Amino acid sequence: MNFYSLNKNAPKASFKEAVINGIAPDGGLYFPERIPQFPASFFDDIQNLSDHEIAYRALMPFVKEDIPDAVLRDILEKVLDFDFPIVPISEHVSTLELFHGPTMAFKDVGARFMARSLGYFFKNSEEHLTVLVATSGDTGGAVANGFLGVDGVEVVILYPSGKVSDIQERQLTTLGQNITALEVDGTFDDCQRMVKKAFVDPNLKGRVKLTSANSINVARWLPQMLYFLFTYKHLKAKGKELVFSVPSGNFGNICAGMIAQRMGMPVRHFIAATNVNDTVPKYMQTALYDPKPSTATISNAMDVGDPSNFVRIKQLYNDDFDQLKEHLSSYSFSDKETKEAIKSIYAKTGYIADPHGAVGYLGLKKYQETHPDTYGIFLETAHPVKFMDVVSSTLNTTLSLPPQIEKIMHKKKVSMAISQYEDLRKFLLN
Ligand SMILES: *Cc1c(COP(=O)(O)O)cnc(C)c1O
């Protein structure tokens, strides 16, 4: 499979090239040249397939020229070594918990798949690769954990000092081995600026091979389609049309679900649920895409004013707004509504949702008001403990720490303080 740039001004790339480049040389996102189709028998028989087999059949067409079958199966076995439980909430609603991985946010699967793919590509290479990533919280932890111990790849994470949560900082700074945390005296935007500068720094060209691990990378994006296929396998027997409500920020997760649908998976509809950063909900009302600077909310992993993956969704529908509307609705919710949802889910069912999942729940409820015949799934993208302050103050209760988090609470933090770009360059050249 080849991937082309959505800016249409760069050479086509193989899967391997697309993963290593991250973004195409013309600044466009990579998109698969065609969407493979599952045979109808795949969905007839899906209940008899293991998750590993489903994952193999879904991803193989995208990567087969670059990753041999046996290697792909081995990678998937290591990436998918935790559960994705579906928890019933009411008669027509379940939540899909995507937070049982090592860093307790759904980004673990994509980050691990990217890490293992690069690990394979650079296994016997003379060249070393450095993954450079700026984080405001969840991404850094998932990337650090995914790449830990991968041969041939060094990971350098920049995070703003004092501006990530205690748990998030521990997830970045206690791993060691090939992971280095640079603690930046500045904001997330400063971290991002330094990373961008490094990518175009002539002093680094030819001396350090850099790549980025943010969500536009095809190896982080595509494996997210597996969540939707695993859910279909389990809920097919309900005999109802399924709808997915996805709490969305950069729209990579929901776009991967829509790819699964285009590959043949029966789904009635997708709901993109957002916080007050409502660029896409507005677009779905007006057909005008008008990006804005982001606003801070309690579901902060979705504080995105110009979602980077939305161009992929538009491409999937050839920019046909009416066709897209058949399959996608989008609604926006305030922090107040989100907290009320956390309370009402807890009061009705005893289930503790995190702020992102609660936004997903609200989107689903809104859609089902007019489509009561459907079976709805909202995605729980992070463990509530990662948003302890909001959740415990909203519910007046405390949460106990799961083992993944407990494990890092008494490990020693190791980071290197930097304050300007020259510090980063010096570090990379050493
Ligand atoms: C990253 C993230 C999201 C948003 O996912 P996108 O693919 O960017 O839309 C939602 N919830 C949590 C907890 C996240 O970390």
Side-chain angles (χ1 to χ4, degrees), residues 106-107 138 247-253 301-302 356 381-382:
F106 84 95
K107 294 182 172 69
D138 277 348
S248 296
N250 268 318
F251 283 69
N253 202 6
M302 311 197 295
H356 304 78
T381 45

Side-chain angles (χ1 to χ4, degrees), residues 4-70:
Y4 65 95
S5 164
L6 290 181
N7 284 359
K8 313 228 161 85
N9 202 10
K12 284 185 181 159
S14 66
F15 176 75
K16 177 176 172 177
E17 289 162 339
V19 179
I20 293 173
N21 292 347
I23 195 153
D26 63 357
L29 270 65
Y30 282 115
F31 198 78
E33 210 168 29
R34 57 186 178 80
I35 307 295
Q37 297 297 304
F38 287 115
S41 61
F42 175 81
F43 292 103
D44 294 341
D45 195 36
I46 193 166
Q47 283 138 305
N48 301 319
L49 301 177
S50 69
D51 284 357
H52 287 156
E53 184 63 29
I54 293 170
Y56 166 77
R57 294 201 201 170
L59 292 175
M60 181 268 288
F62 294 97
V63 309
K64 64 172 184 248
E65 290 85 4
D66 292 304
I67 304 182
D69 274 0

Side-chain angles (χ1 to χ4, degrees), residues 77 126 132 147 155-156 177 198 217 282 286 310 386 393:
E77 221 156 273
E126 296 280 284
L132 191 59
F147 281 83
V155 177
V156 179
Q177 298 186 52
N217 195 297
K282 283 248 163 77
T286 61
F310 197 64
K386 293 196 87 174
S393 66

